[in-house]
Amino acid sequence: MLKKLFKSFRSPIRRGNHSHSTPEVLSSSQHPIERGEISRYAVSVVERLQQAGYQAYLVGGCVRDLLLDIEPKDFDVATSATPEQVRAEFRNARVIGRRFKLVHVHFGREIIETATFRANHPEGDEEENSNLSSRHESGRILRDNVYGSLEDDAQRRDFTINALYYDPVTERILDYANGVHDIRNHLIRLIGDPTQRYQEDPVRMLRAVRFAAKLDFDIEKHSAAPIYKLAPLLAGIPAARLFDEVLKLFLAGYAVYTYELLVDYGLFGQLFPASAEALKLNPDYTDQLIRNALDSTDLRIQQGKSVTPAFLLAALLWPALPARVIKLQDRGMPPIPAMQEAAHELISEQCQRIAVPKRFTMPIREIWDMQERLPRRSGKRADTLLESSRFRAGYDFLLLRESAGEETGGLGDWWTRYQDVSDSERRNMIRDLSNKDDAAGAPRKRKRSNSKRKRGPATDSPSTPTGE
């Protein structure tokens, strides 16, 4: 029975010897997973592939999460069928990817991601077909379409807790790397040599941190040891891929712990170089502001509220911005243009490391720009700001700055009250501001001598208080 179960359906693309290993097999009475907890579409994909003569299993994070009594966010399938063979079995399937070919089987809004068993890349004198696999000189894998057996696939997965295969037909788990043992002991452990595995794909360092934070596990000491030294390898990862990883790191409900681990392992500076520098120069304020922003994000996710990457990224980058603004003001640039120029420079630098899409960079700049405008409340400016579509985000960001200890002269309290009072009380609040300026000896504006001349739009004076 076992011999039949583990029989390998080899792809014609790759032939040759491979190492065999015997998995630990857990029967339905030895694990808590029940078939009813699994997406019926995922079960359907596995059953159909098996009926067609292929091996097929649910694999990875969904199995791990079910063992931990966590609801999986998706279900992945691993199979001996090639992408083209999977595509031939399902009319609702689409082959995607170049670096790593996959098949997406669509069932309405649900997608079952199906991958062919992979094998380790050829090494040494073995022939390597660049159409199937290729490596960067650093060891990073550029293309990964070398197909192999179930045993091969298990050994080339990144972490032991992700090398678990569940067959919903027999309801058995195949554990090739002692993943169940590590789940019981709350450990994140790489399969194989950690240095080599990180060199193959430096993003595995971020994944180790993400899983440790999500599951509240420890990174096993041998798997943790090379991270600090190898962190600079992330500079070679495409910026678009790193943006996706940042969203996974900070928008999953455990951002504070993730941030702590990233700093501890020297990874935060690889993702946010300017912010890491600010953390060195002004550690208390920078750390507190970032923590408060991440804590608020985690709370909103726990409450089922929406979160926007723009606000969070604005907070992560903000500590690096004021020094740049001051530098430009010292050269004679007015406050608002200085803010805009510094923001453009900082975001441009950040996008070289993490490709933040324009749909997020624009709101980031508007939130920052609002910080320079919120102190300017005289005349009708307060009402104009209040009607702005970016007021709420700018106001919330102002409160975030104050929560980190930034002095704004009570600006947050003023705007909190201004939103709640009547129109007449708002006029009194604006009048009080003018009286304070008069008491402080602020110069009055001179009237134009030619009253018939058409007035142009009002401009902000460079000497207007900024509240900083």
Side-chain angles (χ1 to χ4, degrees):
M1 181 67 181
L2 286 177
K3 183 177 180 181
K4 181 179 179 181
L5 182 63
F6 299 127
K7 182 180 178 182
S8 173
F9 287 81
R10 287 187 174 278
S11 163
I13 295 176
R14 180 181 183 271
R15 291 183 173 86
N17 293 327
H18 64 276
S19 59
H20 291 269
S21 58
T22 302
E24 179 182 358
V25 181
L26 283 73
S27 66
S28 59
S29 62
Q30 294 174 299
H31 64 76
I33 298 177
E34 296 182 5
R35 182 172 163 137
E37 301 174 297
I38 301 168
S39 161
R40 63 188 179 94
Y41 299 123
V43 173
S44 173
V45 170
V46 171
E47 289 180 335
R48 188 162 170 181
L49 287 171
Q50 289 185 0
Q51 291 167 4
Y54 303 107
Q55 290 176 293
Y57 302 88
L58 293 174
V59 67
C62 63
V63 183
R64 176 200 68 221
D65 288 349
L66 288 169
L67 288 173
L68 289 166
D69 198 25
I70 299 172
E71 183 178 356
K73 63 181 180 64
D74 50 35
F75 292 87
D76 296 337
V77 172
T79 178
S80 59
T82 66
E84 292 73 20
Q85 289 169 335
V86 175
R87 174 68 182 85
E89 290 295 325
F90 298 93
R91 294 171 56 188
N92 53 329
R94 186 164 63 94
V95 179
I96 66 166
R98 286 186 58 192
R99 176 183 175 273
F100 191 100
K101 270 190 176 183
L102 299 167
V103 179
H104 280 177
V105 186
H106 294 258
F107 297 91
R109 292 185 177 181
E110 185 172 351
I111 296 174
I112 305 302
E113 190 169 274
T114 306
T116 304
F117 296 150
R118 255 62 173 188
N120 288 319
H121 284 234
E123 295 184 10
D125 296 330
E126 294 184 54
E127 182 180 353
E128 183 168 321
N129 185 335
S130 61
N131 291 324
L132 304 179
S133 67
S134 64
R135 293 176 185 264
H136 187 269
E137 59 185 12
S138 66
R140 178 163 54 94
I141 294 176
L142 302 176
R143 189 170 292 110
D144 187 10
N145 293 305
V146 179
Y147 304 140
S149 68
L150 172 58
E151 294 91 334
D152 292 329
D153 191 75
Q155 292 305 313
R156 62 157 299 283
R157 289 189 173 269
D158 50 7
F159 303 105
T160 60
I161 60 174
N162 290 339
L164 299 169
Y165 299 76
Y166 176 74
D167 184 348
V169 177
T170 63
E171 298 188 47
R172 295 188 300 180
I173 292 176
L174 308 184
D175 180 2
Y176 280 91
N178 293 319
V180 173
H181 173 272
D182 286 339
I183 286 176
R184 290 170 181 160
N185 289 279
H186 291 191
L187 287 176
I188 305 296
R189 186 195 308 270
L190 272 167
I191 298 173
D193 176 67
T195 297
Q196 180 182 343
R197 301 312 301 278
Y198 291 140
Q199 288 174 335
E200 289 175 349
D201 186 0
V203 169
R204 285 178 178 142
M205 294 183 282
L206 300 180
R207 285 169 57 81
V209 164
R210 177 157 61 87
F211 290 139
K214 172 184 177 179
L215 305 174
D216 196 19
F217 281 17
D218 295 321
I219 302 177
E220 184 268 333
K221 62 179 182 179
H222 294 100
S223 299
I227 294 179
Y228 198 90
K229 179 181 177 181
L230 298 178
L233 291 177
L234 287 172
I237 299 299
R241 187 181 177 203
L242 284 183
F243 175 73
D244 292 338
E245 291 298 325
V246 164
L247 295 188
K248 294 176 185 177
L249 286 166
F250 291 121
L251 297 181
Y254 38 86
V256 174
Y257 188 27
T258 299
Y259 161 70
E260 293 173 354
L261 291 174
L262 290 173
V263 172
D264 288 346
Y265 286 111
L267 297 168
F268 183 72
Q270 300 300 321
L271 300 174
F272 298 96
S275 302
E277 185 63 25
L279 194 56
K280 292 180 182 177
L281 297 175
N282 192 0
D284 292 340
Y285 167 75
T286 301
D287 182 70
Q288 193 61 57
L289 185 138
I290 291 176
R291 283 179 179 274
N292 289 355
L294 297 177
D295 188 58
S296 175
T297 300
D298 287 344
L299 181 61
R300 289 185 64 85
I301 291 173
Q302 292 167 11
Q303 294 174 342
K305 297 180 179 179
S306 62
V307 293
T308 169
F311 189 92
L312 182 57
L313 290 168
L316 288 168
L317 294 172
W318 171 264
L321 185 65
R324 298 177 184 230
V325 175
I326 292 172
K327 187 175 180 180
L328 292 173
Q329 286 181 300
D330 290 343
R331 295 176 184 172
M333 188 176 290
I336 290 180
M339 171 70 79
Q340 294 170 342
E341 178 64 26
H344 174 74
E345 177 187 280
L346 178 57
I347 291 175
S348 295
E349 290 177 9
Q350 182 60 44
C351 285
Q352 297 299 311
R353 189 59 58 94
I354 298 173
V356 183
K358 190 174 182 179
R359 68 179 183 276
F360 297 132
T361 60
M362 290 298 293
I364 290 171
R365 296 182 62 172
E366 290 169 352
I367 289 170
W368 289 347
D369 185 63
M370 190 67 72
Q371 304 313 297
E372 193 63 57
R373 296 183 183 278
L374 286 173
R376 303 162 185 269
R377 298 157 285 172
S378 61
K380 296 182 178 180
R381 288 176 178 169
D383 289 334
T384 300
L385 287 172
L386 196 60
E387 293 170 0
S388 169
S389 61
R390 289 296 173 191
F391 170 79
R392 185 68 201 188
Y395 165 73
D396 288 342
F397 200 84
L398 170 65
L399 298 185
L400 175 66
R401 292 165 52 205
E402 292 181 339
S403 74
E406 191 170 338
E407 289 294 334
T408 65
L411 190 60
D413 289 339
W414 191 94
W415 276 109
T416 299
R417 184 182 171 216
Y418 193 79
Q419 295 174 71
D420 295 335
V421 299
S422 64
D423 286 342
S424 61
E425 289 178 292
R426 287 180 178 178
R427 301 289 74 77
N428 290 334
M429 291 177 68
I430 298 297
R431 192 177 303 113
D432 288 343
L433 286 176
S434 299
N435 293 338
K436 288 180 181 179
D437 288 341
D438 290 342
R444 292 178 177 271
K445 291 185 177 180
R446 297 174 60 184
K447 294 184 178 180
R448 294 173 182 259
S449 58
N450 187 357
S451 59
K452 294 183 180 181
R453 183 180 300 171
K454 183 178 180 180
R455 295 184 178 182
T459 58
D460 292 325
S461 168
S463 61
T464 305
T466 64
E468 295 295 319

